[in-house]
């Protein structure tokens, strides 16, 4: 068995195991996907009736809690230390130490003066405390967002049956029941499913839901992507329709999403150099180099001219102290703190104080399309008959289909219901007139949804909506000018061409078909979806935000180029981008990105603003390539698939409604998902950066002037002037 059955589950059930559990990852998930449900229960050491409380405690002791390790805050001492770790602070501490040592060694006991190190200590303390307080406030605000809602799930326990428990109380071996609308609380291996469809968009970026089964029925567990294994459901996904029962096979950091969070935490632990951080480092290196050059030079010149090498050494150390802008850390922290306060007025949480200047430094903003540039809601734009004319009958048929569908109402269903009620409130009468008789839920093989309704007279009506090509396959007739006629090839081609024309406008097109008194009612199968009558088309659009075009133009005025990195189709992405003023003449796809090396990709990115069908790793690679070209990059996202790109950017930006991993990877959290807020944030960041830069220039130039004056005087005067 894999990993010696993961260190023998039997031992874990019988003894109190105190050692840390292994982190099996993708190999373990592939393994549990490839065995039968009975083998799985036996191997993990659980049963369909659930675990006892004693077994739950043992499982938790071995596997750990169902919490993402990457979202845990560092300890208080580490947070305090981090607040004082700054290049400028390091220089001041070094000078203070040197000052104390020289004063202790060379000064007479009664003449020792600790004024300089005392002043420096105060400056360092004030700077560190300000930074610590600001970071703590931001972290508390971000944590409060995550704790506003506690998610529960339905768990089978041996002693109490089905109970609702918080998801963080789950352990490996728990049996979980899922239904429409539930969030998947951990990585599960399904042991029962019925018409189960889940959305994995937070993991993969794909907007379409996927069907899951009790057994591995498609693909090869050894070669397919883990997320494509259709008998596994993953933490971070949600149930769109159907029902299922699954066994928890991974919790917390061992889940697929937990691996992502841990990877981000590890990357953050290794350190990330941002644009403003590199600027601070350059300034610090400049000051250190100047000291290393000037101190020996001053010692040599003063020693040769005055003949007292000890006084020359003390004089050179005084020059080094005078060269350093002691107030710099305090002023930098105050500027950043003021910027964070200003951003908070625009409903922005600053998690990392330096992110204020990082935001001001960006010259490229990479963002997703859905919800950022668009309203994140689907609007029904057209309801057309077969000839392309507006037809209320098509909308009424679609309304009945969406109303009586038993799955969670997706964006398309909500758009149909909303539009129908807006145009004709009397459609509510259809809800009372009809009753649901049977249903064929949507799946990705048929790509359509059919409901059968009856009106109490014994007559039934099947209403089908779905992808146009699949609906046409189920149709033998079409409704034309109120008559039912055979669906000829030329008529089908005409309908398809009309749908393609709508698609070029960025719309998603569905077909609607009817069949009276279908066969197989009560035991409906896909074979009964035949000889239907095509009645029309539905065209949907996720409209651009009203503020998107204004925000993109405002960003451009500030020298910030907007690039769209999306998992959506190139055609839809290009249409939305053109509508808001982003050049979309050339769209780069994920497959093209994969085929290019970094140098070739960098050349393409100079001219391309829209990239579509990207995977999470491809988004992160695009960000890294842009930074490699010397660009300062901000990335705005809200899904697990965006977390890696945010971590790779100079400034990661997320929203309050984002998944935990995305919020953790972000440096800034917007409480309002609007690019105009971000544009104001960039202005605020640049103002903060400008204030910091002005102070550095003024102080360093002033100190240089003073030091050079003193050096000149030391050459002309018979004594050392300090």
């Amino acid at each position: 068995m894999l990993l010696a059955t993961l260190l023998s589950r039997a031992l874990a059930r019988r003894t109190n195991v105190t050692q840390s559990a292994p982190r099996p990852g993708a190999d373990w998930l592939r393994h549990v996907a490839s065995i039968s449900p009975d083998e799985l229960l036996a191997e993990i050491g659980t049963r369909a009736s659930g675990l006892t409380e004693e077994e739950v405690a043992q499982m938790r002791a071995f596997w750990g809690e169902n919490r993402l390790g990457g979202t845990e805050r560092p300890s208080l001492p580490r947070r305090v230390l981090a607040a004082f770790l700054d290049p400028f602070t390091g220089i001041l501490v070094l000078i203070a130490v040197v000052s104390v040592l020289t004063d202790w060694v060379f000064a007479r006991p009664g003449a020792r003066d600790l004024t300089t190190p005392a002043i420096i200590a105060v400056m360092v303390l004030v700077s560190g405390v300000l930074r610590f307080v600001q970071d703590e406030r931001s972290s508390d605000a971000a944590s409060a967002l995550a704790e506003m809602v506690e998610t529960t799930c339905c768990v089978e326990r041996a002693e109490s049956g089905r109970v609702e428990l918080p998801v963080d109380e789950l352990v490996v071996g728990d049996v979980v029941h899922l239904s429409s609308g539930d969030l998947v609380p951990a990585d599960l291996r399904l042991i029962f499913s019925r018409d189960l469809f889940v959305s994995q968009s937070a993991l993969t970026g794909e907007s379409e839901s996927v069907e899951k089964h009790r057994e591995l029925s498609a693909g090869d567990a050894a070669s397919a992507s883990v997320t494509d294994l259709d008998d596994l459901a993953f933490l971070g996904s949600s149930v769109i329709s159907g029902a299922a029962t699954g066994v928890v096979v991974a919790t917390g950091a061992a889940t697929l999403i937990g691996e992502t969070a841990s990877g981000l935490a590890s990357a953050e632990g290794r350190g990330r150099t941002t644009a403003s951080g590199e600027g601070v480092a350059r300034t610090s290196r400049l000051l250190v180099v100047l000291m290393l050059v000037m101190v020996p030079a001053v010692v040599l010149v003063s020693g040769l001219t005055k003949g007292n090498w000890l006084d020359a050494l003390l004089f050179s150390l005084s020059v080094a102290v005078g060269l350093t802008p002691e107030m710099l850390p305090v002023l930098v922290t105050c500027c950043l703190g003021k910027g964070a306060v200003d951003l908070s007025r625009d409903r922005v949480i600053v998690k990392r104080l330096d992110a204020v200047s990082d935001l001001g430094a960006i010259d490229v903003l990479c963002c997703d399309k859905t919800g950022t540039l668009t309203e994140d809601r689907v609007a029904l734009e057209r309801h057309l008959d077969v000839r392309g004319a507006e037809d209320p009958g098509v909308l009424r048929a679609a309304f009945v289909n969406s109303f009586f569908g038993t799955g969670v109402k997706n964006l398309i269903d909500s758009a149909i219901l909303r539009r129908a009620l807006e145009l004709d409130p009397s459609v509510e009468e259809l809800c009372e007139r009809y009753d649901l008789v049977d249903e064929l839920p949507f799946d990705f093989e048929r790509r359509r949804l059919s409901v059968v309704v009856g009106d109490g007279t014994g007559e039934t009506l099947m209403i089908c909506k779905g992808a146009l090509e699949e609906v046409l396959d189920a149709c033998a007739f079409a409704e034309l000018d109120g008559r039912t006629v055979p669906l000829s090839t030329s008529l089908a081609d005409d309908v398809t061409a009309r749908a393609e024309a709508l698609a070029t406008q960025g719309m998603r097109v569905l077909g609607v078909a009817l069949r009276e008194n279908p066969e197989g009612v009560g035991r409906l199968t896909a074979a009964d979806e035949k000889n239907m009558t095509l009645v029309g088309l539905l065209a949907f659009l996720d409209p651009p935000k009203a503020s998107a075009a204004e925000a993109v133009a405002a960003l451009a005025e500030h020298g910030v180029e907007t690039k769209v990195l999306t998992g959506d189709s190139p055609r839809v992405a290009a249409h939305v981008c053109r509508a808001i003023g982003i050049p979309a003449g050339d769209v780069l796809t994920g497959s093209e990105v994969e085929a290019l090396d970094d140098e070739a990709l960098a050349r393409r990115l100079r001219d391309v603003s829209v990239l579509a069908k990207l995977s999470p790793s491809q988004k992160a690679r695009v960000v890294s390539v842009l930074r490699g070209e010397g660009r300062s990059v901000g990335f705005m996202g809200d899904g697990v698939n965006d977390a890696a790109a945010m971590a790779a950017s100079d400034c990661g930006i997320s929203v309050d409604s984002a998944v935990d991993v995305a919020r953790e990877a972000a440096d800034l959290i917007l409480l309002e998902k609007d690019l105009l807020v971000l544009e104001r944030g960039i202005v605020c960041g640049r103002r903060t950066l400008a204030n910091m830069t002005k102070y550095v220039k003024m102080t360093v130039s002033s100190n240089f002037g003073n030091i050079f004056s003193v050096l000149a005087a030391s050459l002309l005067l018979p004594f050392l002037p300090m």
Side-chain angles (χ1 to χ4, degrees), residues 53-67:
E53 291 301 320
E54 181 182 358
E55 290 170 337
V56 167
Q58 292 171 353
M59 291 286 194
R60 183 174 291 116
F62 184 74
W63 295 97
E65 296 185 342
N66 190 30
R67 298 176 184 270

Side-chain angles (χ1 to χ4, degrees), residues 25-26 29 68 187 203-204 225-227 234-235 250 252-261 640:
L29 294 176
L68 297 180
D187 285 357
L203 285 166
T204 64
S225 171
V226 174
T227 55
F234 303 98
L235 176 65
T255 61
L256 202 62
I257 192 173
E259 292 286 343
T260 302
V640 177

Side-chain angles (χ1 to χ4, degrees), residues 283-361:
T283 303
S284 301
R285 287 195 296 268
L286 175 62
L287 291 174
V288 171
V289 169
L290 288 174
M291 291 179 192
L292 293 177
V293 171
M294 292 190 69
V295 168
V298 171
V299 169
L300 183 62
V301 172
S302 299
L304 292 175
T305 56
K306 303 297 185 292
N308 190 328
W309 292 94
L310 177 59
D311 286 348
L313 176 61
L314 295 175
F315 178 58
S316 68
L317 294 176
S318 299
V319 169
V321 172
L323 184 64
T324 306
E326 292 88 350
M327 289 290 292
L328 184 57
V330 175
L331 265 294
V332 168
T333 302
C334 287
C335 285
L336 292 175
K338 177 62 166 58
V341 171
D342 291 343
L343 285 174
S344 69
R345 297 193 181 103
D346 280 326
R347 296 172 57 80
V348 178
I349 296 175
V350 180
K351 288 181 57 184
R352 180 174 58 84
L353 201 56
D354 293 338
V356 176
S357 55
D358 288 330
L359 180 63

Side-chain angles (χ1 to χ4, degrees), residues 107 115 133 142 235 345 363 392 427 537 586 598 605 646 707 714 716:
T115 302
V133 170
L235 176 65
R345 297 193 181 103
D363 56 18
V427 294
L537 306 175
D586 186 11
D598 287 352
L605 290 175
M646 284 194 286
I707 293 305
S714 68
L716 300 176

Side-chain angles (χ1 to χ4, degrees), residues 381-385 387-395 419 423:
E381 296 291 316
R382 311 276 179 83
H383 46 280
L384 311 174
D385 63 16
R387 290 193 181 278
E390 294 282 340
D391 186 349
V394 175
L395 182 56
R419 185 62 171 166
L423 296 181

